[in-house]
Amino acid sequence: MAGLHSSVFLVMVSGQIESASFPEFDDLYCKFGFVYGQDWVVTSGWEEGISQVTKKSMDKRQIVVWNFPIDITFKSTSPFGWPQIVISCYGLDMFNRDVVRGYGAIHVPTTPGSHSREIPMFVPESSSKLQKLTSWLLGRRPEFVDPKVVAQGEGREVTRVRSQGRVKVTFNVVTRDMKKLGYDTEAASVAIPHIPTGNTGGNTLQPDQTLGGTTESVS
């Protein structure tokens, strides 16, 4: 049993999907899900969730506030495939039909501590004006069958998308036993990946080298 515990590390993630900015839309809700590599296993918490429907604020910010909690713990033997959170926002159009308002994804911060991130959102676009008009009339606007595809690189280069809105997420990250496996997640090492770490025999966890998939700069 001791050998098993020494061969894995834990990443505990809590926080919340705080708010979103979609000035053109109202009555929005969001869904979230985590995407991660084959070496990762969820040991506790919620891998997916859906928020309440919320109206945008009446002040000049015009933001939608959810404060929807996230709480999940992973174990893994390798940082490759570091978890990403995928967020999808939905609302009603003028015909009271449920349509997607934005997709976005971001890696869970690799540095322990509290972090605040803003995720740029986007929506798929029809390939022609005729298809765009037809989809609007029929209520069949382009959307992904599986929203988690936005966290993957395959096929994204052939998908037409349009930027639309932003979502704010806060993370509280705690790691355990990573140094025992030779990975350094201290802020000074991760934030400045080009500084030599010396001949210590360990590995520095750097998002642009070890996460795989879409990269994220960590501050």
Side-chain angles (χ1 to χ4, degrees):
M1 185 64 69
L4 177 61
H5 285 295
S6 63
S7 64
V8 301
F9 60 83
L10 298 178
V11 178
M12 291 158 276
V13 184
S14 61
Q16 58 186 1
I17 304 173
E18 283 194 0
S19 59
S21 175
F22 291 90
E24 299 179 9
F25 308 115
D26 205 352
D27 297 311
L28 302 178
Y29 68 94
C30 72
K31 297 179 181 179
F32 78 87
F34 284 92
V35 178
Y36 44 86
Q38 294 182 352
D39 292 332
W40 293 75
V41 176
V42 176
T43 61
S44 66
W46 297 279
E47 191 173 343
E48 297 179 336
I50 182 171
S51 77
Q52 73 278 15
V53 178
T54 306
K55 287 185 172 293
K56 64 184 177 183
S57 62
M58 301 299 292
D59 57 20
K60 63 180 180 179
R61 298 178 301 164
Q62 293 189 309
I63 61 172
V64 176
V65 178
W66 292 304
N67 289 329
F68 189 64
I70 53 177
D71 187 2
I72 192 168
T73 299
F74 300 92
K75 71 176 180 180
S76 180
T77 58
S78 168
F80 184 80
W82 192 272
Q84 299 180 64
I85 186 171
V86 177
I87 297 176
S88 312
C89 296
Y90 298 85
L92 299 178
D93 65 7
M94 61 184 299
F95 300 109
N96 210 34
R97 297 176 301 208
D98 206 29
V99 296
V100 65
R101 295 306 189 191
Y103 296 103
I106 195 169
H107 280 101
V108 170
T110 57
T111 310
S114 298
H115 308 267
S116 179
R117 297 286 187 268
E118 279 201 353
I119 306 175
M121 308 296 283
F122 66 88
V123 289
E125 285 267 77
S126 299
S127 57
S128 68
K129 292 183 178 180
L130 178 59
Q131 287 184 344
K132 187 175 183 179
L133 176 61
T134 303
S135 64
W136 183 80
L137 291 174
L138 298 178
R140 299 175 180 174
R141 302 189 183 186
E143 61 180 277
F144 297 117
V145 176
D146 182 2
K148 292 182 179 181
V149 72
V150 304
Q152 303 167 359
E154 297 180 7
R156 287 286 303 279
E157 70 278 358
V158 298
T159 305
R160 294 185 61 182
V161 299
R162 171 170 50 89
S163 297
Q164 182 170 282
R166 305 180 73 86
V167 171
K168 182 179 180 181
V169 184
T170 56
F171 297 96
N172 299 305
V173 181
V174 177
T175 61
R176 181 177 297 172
D177 294 335
M178 292 198 70
K179 283 191 175 182
K180 290 182 179 180
L181 296 181
Y183 298 107
D184 183 6
T185 58
E186 295 300 324
S189 301
V190 177
I192 313 175
H194 299 296
I195 291 183
T197 56
N199 187 19
T200 60
N203 300 315
T204 300
L205 178 56
Q206 301 170 8
D208 55 346
Q209 291 182 344
T210 57
L211 297 184
T214 307
T215 59
E216 171 201 356
S217 59
V218 179
S219 57

